[in-house]
Amino acid sequence: MVFNAIAVWLLIASVPLWIYRWFLFSRLTARERLMFKRLVAQRHESSFVFAVRMAGYLIALAVAVFFVVFGLQYLKYGNFGITTYSDTIRSRFYSGIEPVDQALDSYHYDQMLPVAALTTILLVTVAFTLVTAALRDISLIRRLQKKVKKLAS
């Protein structure tokens, strides 16, 4: 539940960040754009590779937690008892918009717990990657503009 809310807020925050990033990028000259693209390609990790690595870490962590929890449940009760997400987690994140809430119920809350955890991990990964990539680019563009301004004067 908490991770779903974090992912939604990160997705909401990514929209103005990407708008601001594209605004700053559009104000660059052709030479500055080329320098920016070269800096991103040479010095920074690809956003896709970062997202895959982050998703891998989160999936490994989730598998370890599931292994411990379901292992302890098997030792205590003699079965794994994997249930749906809605049976395990009672609180839900509703938007108040009926079609969105129905989609959340069918695609997330009614899924088996490991599948719901994987969808949450993927949502958090995408949202976090969008925010960090936008912040990285904004920071890089601003530093590039300062250095070009120093060289020009």
Side-chain angles (χ1 to χ4, degrees), residues 21-113:
R21 184 246 187 235
W22 285 111
F23 171 74
L24 287 177
F25 186 77
S26 68
R27 293 182 56 204
L28 294 176
T29 64
R31 185 173 182 217
E32 290 172 337
R33 287 181 187 180
L34 184 62
M35 289 168 43
F36 170 75
K37 289 177 183 178
R38 196 175 309 139
L39 281 171
V40 169
Q42 290 177 357
R43 291 191 177 183
H44 296 286
E45 181 180 34
S46 163
S47 296
F48 179 74
V49 173
F50 173 76
V52 168
R53 191 166 40 96
M54 186 173 133
Y57 291 143
L58 291 174
I59 289 170
L61 178 65
V63 166
V65 168
F66 283 142
F67 182 73
V68 169
V69 169
F70 291 134
L72 290 174
Q73 183 175 357
Y74 181 76
L75 290 175
K76 186 172 182 178
Y77 298 113
N79 64 4
F80 287 108
I82 299 175
T83 61
T84 63
Y85 182 80
S86 61
D87 290 340
T88 307
I89 309 296
R90 298 287 179 215
S91 59
R92 294 186 179 198
F93 188 71
Y94 284 116
S95 65
I97 303 168
E98 189 64 29
V100 173
D101 293 338
Q102 288 175 354
L104 279 173
D105 282 342
S106 61
Y107 290 112
H108 187 67
Y109 294 120
D110 294 336
Q111 297 296 324
M112 298 303 288
L113 185 60

